[in-house]
Amino acid sequence: MAREPITPEQGRRYWLKTSRLMWTVLAAWAFLSILLPMLASSLNAIPFLGLRFGYYMAAQGSLVGFVVIIFWYARRQNSIDEEFHVDED
Amino acid sequence: MLRGDFNQSMGRVFVIYTGGCAACASLLIALSLLGVPDRAIGIGFVALTVGFYAVMGLLSRTTQLGDYYVAGRHVPALYNGMATAADTLSAASFIGMAGAIYAAGFDGLAFVLGWTGGFILVAVLLAPYLRKFGQYTVPDFLACRYGGNAARLMGIVVLLSASFAYVVGQIYGTGIIASRYLGVDFSLAVFVGLAGILLCSLLGGMRALIWTQVAQCVIVLIAYILPAVLLSTKATGIPLPQLVYGEAMQRVAELQSHLGVAADALAPTDAVDRVNFIGLTLCLMLGIASMPHLLSRFFTTPSVREARLSVAWTLLFIFLLFSTAPAYAAFAKLEVYQHVLGQPLAALPAWVNEWSRAGMLTVSGGGGPLRPADFALDPDAVVLAAPEIAGLPFFVAGLVAAGALAAALSSADGLLLSIANAVSHDVYYRMLAPKAGPRQRLLVARTVMVVVAGLAAWVASTRPAGILTVVGWGFSLAASGLFSALVLGVWWKRATKAGAVLGMVAGWSVCLGYILATQTHAIEPLWGVRNIAAGIFGIPVSMLATVLASLLTPAPSQDMQDFIDSIRMPRGHVRLAAGAPAEE
């Protein structure tokens, strides 16, 4: 079944929404990989699983966060593709 | 046997691989229990690992060009993710990472954080768009986006330098293993490792690589997690190392205060050095998103949708190993404090001699009880030696060695393939001899592999620095050279050829210059930044140069803007701008 061609307006709105998702993900990424290690000294005051929280986040917590974010992103972006009918034929 | 369509033969391939590996391992474990000497078991693990991959490469070898480069584009997300994980799980992460945490504590976590977080950048900023673009290599993308061979050539220069540093690290790792388990001198052992790597690389292209790497991913994970589980069970009675290693760290701290030494960096601690920690983490993250041999992996999925998922699977698999590394380091340290320190030298078992002979361990002091300062274990030996230090059965050490070898071989294969492709496809075919046939190009590719690997082995034999440092240079170089050009190429239509080329040249030169100047002690490190994080200078320089030079030159043509629009959307054809090289 042939599909409607993509209009420039549709393309523009698609890219806007895609960019917004990109910035959201990058903000979460920067929080886990830059902000938390910078605050590690203060966070270490909190004990966690026999470790200190600052150490725990860099060793394991942020990694779990990355995995969750990346699967969430893949689902979210795929549904944006469908919403704007720009998913693959 | 393994030639048919990937989807049809996939299940069978997987069973053959994992079944074959399990059979090999059980055979050696049985022999070990029957009393065959440790030395023979060690050699057996190493020889069987290399032999097994070589046979698999042979069975799935290919001479069809599409197959050779991108595995015919039929690799489903899960399997592509596993193969890419095997690419990422290199000698550096398997052998080096836990050792770095063992030696430097919190600072060592920069590797854990950097090599996982980088995949977020790959998934969001690059992978789907490179897949949509769909041509063979990263330099191809640069050439199409920035119109012409200047961008392609600079891309190749960065690719070659970064991949070369990475290969040196892998060969260094195989050298340590060969030296320990075959009992030869390190400078000879690297060439033994080289032979193993070449044997596997030369037998097939990307398709063979993907199939062996799926198996290597499984082996690497088992070989890393199993000993950690055993160490954890031995120390705490609970087989969940990732959850209970806090207890091991507390016991290390107690033993340290008991022995009267300062609680060292492995004890829960602050970032000792914030600039280097954040700097290194960023270099590794942006480096992951710029490593051509990893990015080229996402050209091989059947669709853009699968490319996104494929990055997610990659991250999940490497997460399994990376989250175990800090635990591995903690249990290894606990074993050293419990079973080695405080013992007289004469009471220590044979592994002390073996590791000393391999040049990875220095034990000093008189006949009295060993003090912490007397026992200098090279960080690169921690993972491999931990099972022996803990007194686990020898086949566990053999399994770890086989896993480390698989990690080094899989990464080295991927890197050498990427280097060979860059020279045979991008330089030879695209720039020098456009009429060259497939056979000639494969011949060029294989010659390049042998020469580059030989050179890398020679560099490794001089022991320029530890594995992690050498590999870290590669990541800094890749990030400084390629990150701006790739990311702005997709996300900023205004980026021009002049901007991209200048950015790549400037970033890469600054980074390489800093590494060479500090390594040869020509200059003191600026603000104490170690040269492993040299990208912290290169990346901003490259970004600034790209943006400024782009704004000073005319905007890209409408054709080029249409091309960018077409790769941003999963649907529709890629509209190449005029002057771009035609697809094959």
Side-chain angles (χ1 to χ4, degrees), chain B residues 16 24 61 71 95 210 215 323 376 378 397 438:
Chain B
I16 294 172
C24 288
R61 72 180 300 180
I95 302 178
I210 282 194
S323 62
D378 189 305

Side-chain angles (χ1 to χ4, degrees), chain B residues 383-403:
Chain B
V383 169
L384 294 166
E388 289 174 277
I389 295 175
L392 297 175
F394 186 77
F395 65 79
V396 180
L399 182 68
V400 174

Side-chain angles (χ1 to χ4, degrees), chain B residues 96-107:
Chain B
M97 200 165 52
I101 301 167
Y102 174 98
F106 189 95
D107 279 353

Side-chain angles (χ1 to χ4, degrees), chain B residues 494-520:
Chain B
R494 188 66 180 76
T496 66
K497 176 182 179 177
V501 174
L502 192 73
M504 287 192 270
V505 173
W508 180 77
S509 318
V510 165
C511 180
L512 185 65
Y514 188 77
I515 294 172
L516 293 176
T518 47
Q519 196 65 16
T520 56

Side-chain angles (χ1 to χ4, degrees), chain A residues 3-6 10-12 14-15 18-19 21-23 25-26 29 32-35 37-42 44 49-52 54-60 62-67 69-71 73-74 77-79 81-82 84-89, chain B residues 101 105-106 109 112-113 116-121 123-125 128-129 131 242-243 245-247 249-250 265-271 274 277-278 281-282 285-286 302-305 308-309 311-313 315-316 319 322-323 326 490-491 568-572:
Chain A
R3 298 164 77 185
E4 296 278 308
I6 307 163
Q10 190 187 353
R12 203 188 56 78
Y14 168 72
W15 193 245
T18 300
S19 307
L21 178 63
M22 182 270 280
W23 287 113
V25 172
L26 285 195
W29 166 83
L32 293 176
S33 55
I34 300 171
L35 193 68
M38 278 172 76
L39 300 177
S41 319
S42 331
N44 275 342
L49 280 182
L51 300 163
R52 305 204 189 166
Y55 187 97
Y56 171 79
M57 285 311 286
Q60 204 175 79
S62 291
L63 277 62
V64 175
F66 292 145
V67 173
I69 291 171
I70 206 166
F71 275 98
Y73 160 77
Q77 182 69 55
N78 286 339
S79 73
D81 289 1
E82 282 156 25
F84 288 90
H85 308 290
V86 299
D87 51 317
E88 283 142 308
D89 300 300
Chain B
I101 301 167
F106 189 95
L109 296 177
V112 176
L113 213 48
T116 49
F119 282 96
I120 301 267
L121 301 179
V124 178
L125 297 175
Y129 311 105
R131 169 60 193 87
Q242 300 89 341
L243 295 181
Y245 71 98
E247 192 186 325
M249 287 174 78
Q250 285 168 355
L266 188 70
T269 165
D270 303 340
R274 214 175 276 179
F277 186 87
I278 307 276
T281 307
L282 281 176
M285 286 180 167
L286 273 59
S303 67
V304 174
R305 198 186 172 89
R308 293 183 190 124
L309 268 179
V311 190
W313 285 117
L315 181 61
L316 183 67
F319 163 78
F322 280 45
S323 62
V490 173
W491 290 89
R568 284 178 175 183
M569 255 176 251
R571 186 177 147 200

